[in-house]
């Protein structure tokens, strides 16, 4: 029997996209810089920091496309790593990167020809027009294109002889990984826009500590916490991939966590500005308490919702034990 791997082709797809996207970004920046400044030494000083920053900024895109491609390839039963399959994925990567390039080019053209006299370059609206809106459009078009590209060309892929089966061994792992992918895509996308604002406000002088190291540490810490809190909740076996449950759970959790933290932030802001005034000691205590409250409630919400969607009921457990 042929051994099938669920995530091997999506991983290859993302690696190809990751390097292609980063390469295009660096080349585009280098050409623009050289044609403007002709200072090669200073260019290297900027590029060696820009490269890891661009890789960091491509994480949300990679997470989205990894999840979309995994679901698309599963639905057309394509899991074999062959030259033909990889070639078709390479064409997908090229088209997706082209979409990204044209969306950014159109945004820049609109700004240069229409909005340049209306929006101050130092304003956050500059990032909205040149980064946030193009990124959201890219997420939409790249995700839809990747999914329908796989669906339309499904007969051209080298398919498996047998259908990929979700078993009691792999079902929970696959659902857990896809949940993490979509949950962290949504969770990281918004802070990535904030990073762009910080870099813009620093006039694109990227700091390893502020713009690269601290975000990576925050992402890794969040990933570790979510894994520890929710992993034991993914125990229910499904014979069909539950895409709707995965997406509903990831979206609902991010909305709840955002609202919760927004409310706590407003409370902290009111207390500091109106109740505590200049009392530094009490201000520090309030910030620590509200931060701890936010962390604990976020963990509880993650555990509660993942349990609701992916933890078996007592009836299911009894039936499962009886069956085996």
């Amino acid at each position: 029997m042929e051994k099938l791997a669920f995530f091997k082709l999506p991983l290859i797809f993302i690696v190809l996209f990751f390097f292609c996207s980063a390469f295009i970004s660096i080349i585009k920046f280098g050409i623009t810089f050289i044609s403007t400044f002709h200072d090669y030494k200073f260019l290297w000083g900027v590029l060696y920091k820009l490269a890891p920053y661009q890789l960091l900024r491509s994480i949300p895109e990679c997470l989205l496309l990894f999840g979309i491609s995994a679901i698309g390839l599963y639905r057309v039963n394509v899991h074999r790593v062959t030259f033909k399959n990889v070639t078709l994925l390479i064409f997908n990567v090229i088209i997706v990167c082209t979409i990204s390039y044209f969306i950014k080019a159109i945004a820049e053209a609109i700004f240069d020809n229409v909005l340049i006299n209306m929006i101050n370059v130092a304003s956050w609206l500059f990032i909205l027009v040149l980064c946030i809106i193009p990124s959201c459009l890219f997420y939409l078009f790249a995700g839809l294109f990747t999914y329908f590209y796989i669906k339309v060309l499904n007969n051209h892929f080298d398919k498996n002889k047998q259908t990929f089966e979700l078993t009691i061994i792999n079902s929970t792992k696959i659902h857990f990984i896809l949940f993490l992918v979509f949950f962290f895509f949504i969770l990281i996308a918004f802070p990535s826009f904030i990073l762009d604002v910080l870099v813009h406000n620093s006039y694109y002088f990227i700091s390893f500590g502020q713009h690269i190291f601290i975000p990576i540490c925050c992402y890794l810490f969040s990933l570790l916490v979510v894994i520890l809190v929710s992993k034991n909740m993914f125990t229910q076996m499904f014979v069909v991939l539950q895409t709707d449950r995965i997406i509903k759970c990831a979206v609902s959790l991010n909305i709840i966590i955002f609202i919760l933290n927004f409310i706590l932030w407003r409370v902290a802001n009111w207390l500091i500005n109106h109740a505590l005034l200049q009392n530094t000691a009490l201000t520090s205590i309030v910030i620590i308490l509200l931060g701890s409250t936010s962390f604990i409630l976020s963990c509880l919400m993650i555990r509660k919702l993942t349990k609701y969607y992916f933890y078996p009921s007592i009836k299911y457990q009894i039936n499962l034990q009886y069956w085996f």
Side-chain angles (χ1 to χ4, degrees):
M1 183 179 290
E2 186 180 11
K3 186 177 180 180
L4 306 179
F6 189 91
F7 291 113
K8 189 175 288 186
L9 271 179
L11 184 60
I12 292 173
F13 172 66
I14 288 310
V15 170
L16 292 170
F17 170 78
F18 188 84
F19 286 105
C20 181
S21 177
F23 179 76
I24 291 174
S25 298
I26 293 170
I27 292 297
K28 180 183 175 183
F29 179 84
I31 292 173
T32 303
F33 191 94
I34 291 173
S35 63
T36 305
F37 294 101
H38 305 284
D39 189 343
Y40 300 101
K41 185 177 181 180
F42 184 70
L43 172 63
W44 167 247
V46 175
L47 276 181
Y48 91 95
K49 292 182 179 179
L50 180 69
Y53 177 75
Q54 287 293 343
L55 297 181
L56 179 68
R57 277 294 284 111
S58 66
I59 290 177
E61 301 168 357
C62 291
L63 289 174
L64 174 66
L65 293 177
F66 179 82
I68 295 294
S69 62
I71 292 171
L73 291 169
Y74 166 78
R75 291 190 171 177
V76 298
N77 195 36
V78 175
H79 301 281
R80 295 172 59 194
V81 180
T82 64
F83 177 78
K84 185 178 181 181
N85 288 349
V86 173
T87 302
L88 288 172
L89 291 181
I90 289 173
F91 282 117
N92 193 353
V93 167
I94 292 172
I95 296 172
V96 166
C97 288
T98 303
I99 291 173
S100 175
Y101 175 81
F102 278 112
I103 287 176
K104 292 177 181 177
I106 291 170
E108 291 175 1
I110 292 174
F111 181 83
D112 292 338
N113 297 300
V114 179
L115 302 176
I116 192 166
N117 296 321
M118 301 168 60
I119 297 177
N120 190 340
V121 177
S123 170
W124 66 271
L125 290 173
F126 176 81
I127 294 297
L128 177 68
V129 173
L130 289 184
C131 179
I132 297 178
I133 293 177
S135 293
C136 291
L137 289 174
F138 171 77
Y139 295 152
L140 176 64
F141 288 117
L144 289 175
F145 176 82
T146 298
Y147 181 78
F148 286 107
Y149 176 91
I150 294 170
K151 291 283 287 184
V152 170
L153 297 181
N154 76 89
N155 292 325
H156 297 278
F157 284 95
D158 289 332
K159 295 190 176 184
N160 309 101
K161 295 180 181 178
Q162 73 267 16
T163 304
F164 186 93
E165 295 183 0
L166 295 179
T167 66
I168 196 169
I169 297 174
N170 64 23
S171 176
T172 55
K173 293 179 180 178
I174 290 171
H175 282 85
F176 180 56
I177 292 172
L178 286 177
F179 162 75
L180 289 178
V181 166
F182 285 105
F183 176 78
F184 276 97
F185 157 66
I186 301 172
L187 188 71
I188 292 175
F190 182 72
S192 296
F193 299 145
I194 297 176
L195 270 180
D196 287 331
V197 174
L198 293 174
V199 170
H200 172 67
N201 291 340
S202 302
Y203 301 99
Y204 293 91
F205 286 96
I206 297 172
S207 166
F208 266 118
Q210 182 182 1
H211 302 134
I212 299 174
F213 181 74
I214 291 178
I216 289 176
C217 289
C218 291
Y219 295 163
L220 292 177
F221 176 75
S222 301
L223 177 62
L224 179 62
V225 169
V226 174
I227 290 174
L228 292 175
V229 169
S230 65
K231 185 177 181 181
N232 292 335
M233 297 297 102
F234 286 78
T235 56
Q236 183 168 349
M237 177 207 160
F238 299 98
V239 295
V240 177
L241 188 66
Q242 302 295 303
T243 307
D244 58 336
R245 291 191 183 215
I246 294 169
I247 295 176
K248 285 179 183 178
C249 187
V251 173
S252 301
L253 273 174
N254 275 281
I255 292 174
I256 292 171
I257 291 173
F258 175 79
I259 294 174
L260 171 66
N261 284 279
F262 179 77
I263 293 172
L264 291 174
W265 174 77
R266 294 291 295 176
V267 171
N269 191 53
W270 183 86
L271 287 173
I272 292 170
N273 293 326
H274 296 88
L276 302 178
L277 298 176
Q278 301 299 324
N279 196 323
T280 307
L282 282 177
T283 300
S284 301
I285 294 172
V286 167
I287 291 174
I288 293 172
L289 287 176
L290 290 178
S292 301
T293 302
S294 171
F295 177 78
I296 293 170
L297 291 178
S298 297
C299 290
L300 289 175
M301 288 298 102
I302 292 171
R303 191 170 182 85
K304 186 71 175 177
L305 257 71
T306 51
K307 183 177 182 179
Y308 174 78
Y309 282 106
F310 300 104
Y311 193 80
S313 63
I314 296 175
K315 181 179 179 180
Y316 177 86
Q317 288 178 315
I318 293 174
N319 290 340
L320 188 63
Q321 291 170 0
Y322 177 78
W323 178 262
F324 285 99

